[in-house]
């Protein structure tokens, strides 16, 4: 019998069959390690990427918007233009405040970004002396990548803001001890202040000057060094008593009048303890003022494991809080990620079942020779489909192992890539199994069939795999924030495809020699003459479907120009139809939150903002299906969802 089997040359399938113990060992070890790596992968809603934006904020109390723009903002902008990779600079100047958004180019490498932020701080620090006197800052914020995926609201009935802040600080300290927590930030804290209100009419009656009163206050409450006393053994620091420790101390402070007489500050001023007025930011949850605690996960952490650890920690914390103080979870990103992972597992199971079903039917369904009733004309061999079914978890296990090695976690991009790869990673295994089955039907033994499959199909399969992987190459080499965000599409898909090829040429031949059974040889025609099946190297099968398909192929070959024209026309129609498809980088969010922004004209008082927002809050709480309403008054909601 003549065949295309070539002697000599390295044959990976033959090597696997010659070392069956090592092949079995690798199969089991890779499956176990991949299964363990799956549970070690970091899980998050979005892939980590580097934000290339910074906010520079500067305060100049008492200055007009024009003064801020000309004497602060313009100088800072000219300095920022000299920073490497500078791309866009947007600034807003308003009375007493300058706000600059500084963005660097997308093609800057993530490793260069910290150096750029250092350069910004250095250059602005060098020109800081050119800003007007009284300027506060500039202050820098380059932590836009922080996502507060878990947010709690600390509610307290019958407690003051100061007491609530004390409870919030204690809760924050305990949350920071939880594994994978990077930072915990407080929102809606109302700082305590001491208000000293003096009537100008009263000062005039007593002959006092406001400046003189303020100067005496500053001198009394100043912290100054009074020197040290040297002893033979120690150096003792001398401290001057007098700083205020209570409101009564401030009221009892003596004030010297113009005529030399002394008065108590409490006699000429109204002194009271209060909070910042007007407030800067207030947070409300379900109609009650609260302090919000935003929890940000450490880079590379597991958001689901973090969610479980936070649930255990908050259960312990709530037991230590006083009666009337409650810790309510407002935002739960671990639950959203858990739903995504569970959806992937469900889709994976569905895909495996579908692939196995198709494989069992396509590879194992054979027509019996001779005349049989309809229900006995076909026989089903489960073994070829079983081989494909074994390769799916094996490929996924090795893929998870590679993802763990290269630090690729489970998130919406990598999970989507795995779902895409599911439809591709079984192709090579199906080709290898089909080739083995056909060669065994022609009389080859198991080992010869397996090695023949490598000789004939290994390189074409590898070429097809590389071509498919090249289709994702633009994502892999894109030097932009979008490319960094979506890099897992390229990485995971290429890893899965290359692993599937390796499994199909190394493990599938071994599985074939173990599981496949030797089918009966094809008998020669009764008349002894060569049939189409023996003359045609493509193995024509005598079935109605194949005969009709071959007629169609022969017609296309004979009328090649019509076929080429129809192909080009179809391609052109596809391009035209593509223009009618909505272009959207990512589908609409499936998150259950609805964000409502209320904007007021510049200069609107905080009290007016709060009054309107309370009305909107009360209306939203009456809507059917609304679980909770949380609002930030005076600022936007902290980033709880990356996109």
């Amino acid at each position: 019998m003549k065949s295309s089997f070539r002697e000599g040359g390295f044959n990976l399938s033959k090597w696997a069959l010659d070392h069956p113990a090592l092949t079995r060992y690798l199969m089991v070890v890779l499956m176990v390690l991949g299964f363990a790596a799956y549970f070690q992968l970091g899980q998050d809603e979005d892939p980590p990427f580097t934000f290339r934006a910074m906010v520079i904020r500067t305060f100049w109390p008492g200055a007009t918007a024009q003064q801020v723009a000309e004497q602060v903002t313009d100088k800072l902008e000219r300095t920022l233009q000299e920073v490497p990779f500078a791309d866009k600079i947007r600034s807003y100047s308003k009375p007493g405040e300058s706000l600059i958004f500084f963005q660097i180019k997308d093609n800057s490498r993530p490793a260069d970004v910290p150096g750029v932020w250092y350069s910004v701080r250095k250059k602005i620090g060098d020109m800081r002396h050119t800003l007007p006197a009284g300027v506060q800052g500039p202050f820098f914020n380059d932590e836009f990548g922080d996502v507060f995926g878990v947010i709690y609201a600390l509610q307290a009935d019958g407690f003051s803001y100061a007491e609530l802040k004390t409870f919030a600080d204690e809760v924050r300290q305990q949350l920071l001890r939880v594994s994978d927590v990077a930072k915990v930030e407080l929102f809606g804290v109302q700082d305590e202040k001491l208000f000293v209100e003096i009537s100008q009419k009263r000062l005039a009656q007593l002959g006092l000057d406001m400046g003189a009163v303020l100067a005496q206050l500053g001198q009394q409450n100043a912290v100054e060094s009074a020197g040290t006393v040297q002893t033979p053994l120690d150096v003792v620091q001398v401290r001057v008593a007098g700083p205020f420790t209570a409101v009564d101390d401030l009221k009892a402070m003596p004030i010297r009048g113009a005529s030399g007489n002394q008065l108590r500050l409490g006699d000429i001023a109204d002194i009271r303890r209060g909070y910042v007025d007007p407030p800067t930011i207030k947070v409300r949850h379900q109609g009650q003022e609260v302090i919000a605690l935003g929890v940000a996960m450490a880079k590379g952490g597991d958001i689901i494991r973090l969610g479980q650890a936070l649930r255990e920690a908050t259960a312990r914390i709530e037991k230590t809080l006083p009666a009337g103080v409650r810790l309510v979870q407002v935002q739960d990103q671990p639950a959203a990620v858990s739903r995504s992972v569970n959806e992937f597992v469900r889709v994976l199971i569905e895909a495996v079942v579908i692939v196995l079903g198709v494989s069992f039917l396509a590879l194992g369904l054979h027509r019996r020779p001779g005349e049989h009733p309809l229900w006995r004309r076909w026989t089903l061999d489960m073994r070829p489909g079983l081989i494909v079914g074994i390769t799916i978890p094996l490929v996924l296990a090795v893929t998870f192992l590679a993802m763990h090695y290269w630090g690729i976690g489970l998130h919406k991009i990598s999970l989507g890539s795995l779902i895409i790869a599911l439809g591709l990673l079984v192709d090579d295994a199906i080709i290898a199994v089909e080739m083995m089955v056909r060669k065994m039907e022609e009389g080859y033994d198991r080992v010869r069939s397996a090695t023949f499959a490598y000789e004939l199909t290994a390189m074409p399969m590898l070429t097809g795999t590389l071509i498919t992987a090249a289709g994702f190459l633009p994502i892999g080499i894109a030097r932009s924030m979008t490319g960094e965000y979506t890099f897992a599409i390229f990485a995971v898909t290429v890893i899965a495809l290359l692993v599937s090829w390796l499994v199909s040429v190394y493990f599938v031949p071994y599985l074939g020699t173990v599981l496949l059974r030797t089918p009966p040889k094809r008998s020669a025609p009764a008349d002894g003459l060569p049939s189409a099946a023996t003359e045609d190297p493509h193995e024509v099968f005598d079935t109605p479907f194949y005969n009709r398909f071959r007629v169609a192929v022969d017609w296309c070959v004979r009328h090649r120009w019509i076929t080429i024209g129809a192909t080009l026309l179809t391609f052109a129609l596809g391009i035209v139809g593509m223009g009618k498809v909505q272009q959207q980088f990512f589908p609409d969010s499936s998150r259950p939150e609805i964000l409502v922004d209320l904007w007021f004209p510049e200069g609107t008082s905080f009290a007016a903002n709060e009054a309107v927002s309370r009305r909107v809050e009360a209306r939203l709480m009456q809507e059917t299906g609304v679980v909770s309403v949380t609002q930030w008054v005076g600022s936007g909601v902290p980033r709880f969802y990356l996109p």
Side-chain angles (χ1 to χ4, degrees):
M1 178 186 298
K2 294 181 65 177
S3 72
S4 58
F5 180 76
R6 296 175 297 175
E7 298 291 342
F10 179 74
N11 190 312
L12 185 59
S13 300
K14 183 67 164 58
W15 193 90
L17 298 178
D18 291 341
H19 304 81
L22 179 60
T23 302
R24 289 192 300 270
Y25 173 78
L26 289 177
M27 190 184 310
V28 174
V29 168
L30 290 176
M31 191 80 78
V32 173
L33 291 179
F35 182 78
Y38 172 79
F39 294 98
Q40 298 298 320
L41 294 176
Q43 301 184 56
D44 203 351
E45 189 163 10
D46 296 278
F49 68 97
T50 305
F51 272 79
R52 294 166 171 81
M54 171 186 277
V55 171
I56 299 96
R57 200 169 192 175
T58 311
F59 299 96
W60 189 11
T64 64
Q66 186 70 21
Q67 290 173 323
V68 172
E70 294 177 352
Q71 301 184 48
V72 177
T73 305
D74 287 350
K75 293 181 179 180
L76 294 176
E77 285 183 337
R78 285 195 293 268
T79 302
L80 291 173
Q81 290 172 351
E82 303 172 0
V83 176
F85 301 107
D87 186 19
K88 297 178 182 178
I89 301 176
R90 294 183 293 118
S91 63
Y92 301 89
S93 299
K94 60 183 181 180
E97 182 179 351
S98 169
L99 189 67
I100 300 177
F101 291 90
F102 176 65
Q103 186 173 340
I104 62 178
K105 295 180 179 179
D106 270 2
N107 59 6
S108 58
R109 296 185 305 171
D112 295 334
V113 174
V116 174
W117 300 152
Y118 170 77
S119 179
V120 170
R121 289 177 168 85
K122 175 178 174 296
K123 288 182 177 293
I124 292 183
D126 292 342
M127 56 80 62
R128 172 69 178 77
H129 67 281
T130 65
L131 299 178
V135 169
Q136 301 174 7
F139 304 100
F140 307 93
N141 181 10
D142 59 353
E143 297 181 344
F144 279 90
D146 293 338
V147 177
F148 299 99
V150 179
I151 300 178
Y152 296 99
L154 189 64
Q155 298 176 329
D157 298 328
F159 292 92
S160 65
Y161 276 121
E163 293 170 326
L164 184 58
K165 183 179 184 302
T166 302
F167 300 146
D169 288 335
E170 295 175 356
V171 173
R172 177 179 179 273
Q173 292 300 323
Q174 297 185 58
L175 291 178
L176 284 172
R177 300 190 186 102
V178 177
S179 178
D180 284 342
V181 171
K183 70 176 183 178
V184 180
E185 190 167 330
L186 303 181
F187 303 94
V189 175
Q190 307 302 315
D191 294 325
E192 282 192 285
K193 299 290 181 182
L194 280 176
F195 293 91
V196 180
E197 299 174 349
I198 305 177
S199 170
Q200 291 288 350
K201 182 178 179 180
R202 178 66 171 161
L203 289 176
Q205 291 175 349
L206 297 174
L208 295 175
D209 179 70
M210 177 65 78
V213 174
L214 294 178
Q216 294 180 53
L217 275 172
Q219 293 172 3
Q220 178 69 22
N221 206 40
V223 178
E224 298 287 347
S225 174
T228 58
V229 175
Q230 300 284 341
T231 68
L233 297 177
D234 300 309
V235 177
V236 180
Q237 186 175 9
V238 178
R239 301 185 184 276
V240 179
F244 303 120
T245 58
V247 176
D248 292 338
D249 295 341
L250 185 59
K251 290 180 179 180
M253 175 187 169
I255 299 294
R256 293 186 300 273
S259 59
N261 60 328
Q262 287 191 349
L263 300 170
R264 295 172 65 251
L265 182 61
D267 296 335
I268 63 174
D270 180 19
I271 303 174
R272 58 184 175 86
R273 186 192 299 268
Y275 302 95
V276 176
D277 188 19
T280 304
I281 299 173
K282 278 190 175 182
V283 181
R284 297 173 57 84
H285 178 70
Q286 292 296 92
Q288 182 179 355
E289 293 185 6
V290 300
I291 290 181
L293 297 93
V295 181
M297 186 180 67
K299 186 177 181 181
D302 188 332
I303 190 66
I304 297 181
R305 187 164 57 241
L306 173 63
Q308 179 62 31
L310 287 175
R311 283 191 291 272
E312 296 175 357
T314 53
R316 294 193 304 268
I317 293 172
E318 287 178 340
K319 296 178 181 178
T320 64
L321 295 175
V325 181
R326 299 179 303 279
L327 192 62
V328 182
Q329 188 164 4
V330 175
Q331 192 58 234
D332 191 0
Q333 190 183 39
V337 178
S338 179
R339 286 194 299 269
S340 298
V341 174
N342 292 337
E343 182 180 1
F344 162 72
V345 174
R346 179 180 58 82
V347 173
L348 174 63
I349 295 175
E350 292 177 355
V352 170
V353 171
I354 294 173
V355 169
L356 288 179
V358 174
S359 301
F360 285 140
L361 292 177
L363 298 177
L365 196 61
H366 299 283
R367 188 178 181 182
R368 292 179 176 178
E371 297 294 334
H372 294 282
L374 181 62
W375 59 88
R376 295 183 59 189
R377 292 180 184 177
W378 301 92
T379 180
L380 182 62
D381 186 3
M382 306 288 286
R383 298 169 184 263
L386 183 60
I387 296 175
V388 177
I390 295 175
T391 61
I392 294 176
L394 182 59
V395 172
L396 289 176
V398 180
T399 302
F400 291 140
L401 194 61
M403 290 172 61
H404 182 268
Y405 177 79
W406 276 295
I408 303 174
L410 292 176
H411 41 73
K412 63 172 59 175
I413 302 299
S414 60
L415 291 176
S417 304
L418 287 171
I419 294 174
I420 293 174
L422 276 177
L424 303 173
L425 56 83
V426 297
D427 292 349
D428 293 343
I430 291 175
I431 293 173
V433 172
E434 176 70 11
M435 181 60 65
M436 290 184 62
V437 171
R438 292 307 171 194
K439 292 306 171 184
M440 290 174 65
E441 289 179 350
E442 294 178 2
Y444 289 84
D445 58 26
R446 289 186 176 88
V447 175
R448 186 70 176 276
S449 299
T451 55
F452 187 93
Y454 178 87
E455 293 281 348
L456 192 64
T457 63
M459 289 303 105
M461 287 192 304
L462 179 60
T463 303
T465 300
L466 295 178
I467 291 175
T468 304
F472 299 90
L473 189 61
I475 298 176
I477 63 177
R479 295 189 60 184
S480 64
M481 190 155 54
T482 303
E484 184 182 354
Y485 183 85
T486 59
F487 179 78
I489 295 179
F490 167 77
V492 175
T493 305
V494 171
I495 291 173
L497 291 177
L498 293 178
V499 170
S500 69
W501 177 84
L502 183 62
V503 168
S504 66
V505 299
Y506 187 82
F507 293 107
V508 168
Y510 171 77
L511 292 174
T513 57
V514 173
L515 297 178
L516 292 180
R517 63 184 180 185
T518 304
K521 297 182 180 180
R522 297 183 179 180
S523 57
D527 54 6
L529 297 176
S531 65
T534 58
E535 292 178 349
D536 195 337
H538 296 288
E539 302 180 3
V540 179
F541 307 111
D542 189 16
T543 63
F545 171 78
Y546 184 84
N547 292 332
R548 289 192 294 269
F549 178 75
R550 187 171 183 82
V551 169
V553 172
D554 291 340
W555 186 91
C556 292
V557 172
R558 290 195 304 270
H559 304 83
R560 58 179 61 90
W561 292 112
I562 298 178
T563 305
I564 294 174
T567 303
L568 295 176
L569 179 61
T570 304
F571 180 70
L573 291 175
I575 295 177
V576 173
M578 193 65 184
K580 305 297 183 181
V581 178
Q582 180 183 2
Q583 297 184 9
Q584 191 174 354
F585 190 73
F586 280 115
D588 294 333
S589 173
S590 59
R591 293 290 295 256
E593 299 86 4
I594 297 177
L595 298 181
V596 179
D597 291 331
L598 300 177
W599 294 89
F600 295 87
E602 185 73 24
T604 304
S605 67
F606 189 92
N609 290 346
E610 189 176 14
V612 176
S613 63
R614 286 191 178 190
R615 292 168 54 191
V616 175
E617 175 189 56
R619 180 66 181 85
L620 291 176
M621 291 173 62
Q622 297 174 1
E623 289 292 326
T624 304
V626 173
V627 177
S628 64
V629 178
T630 307
Q631 63 168 322
W632 266 252
V633 183
S635 75
V637 180
R639 189 191 305 276
F640 64 88
Y641 175 53
L642 190 59

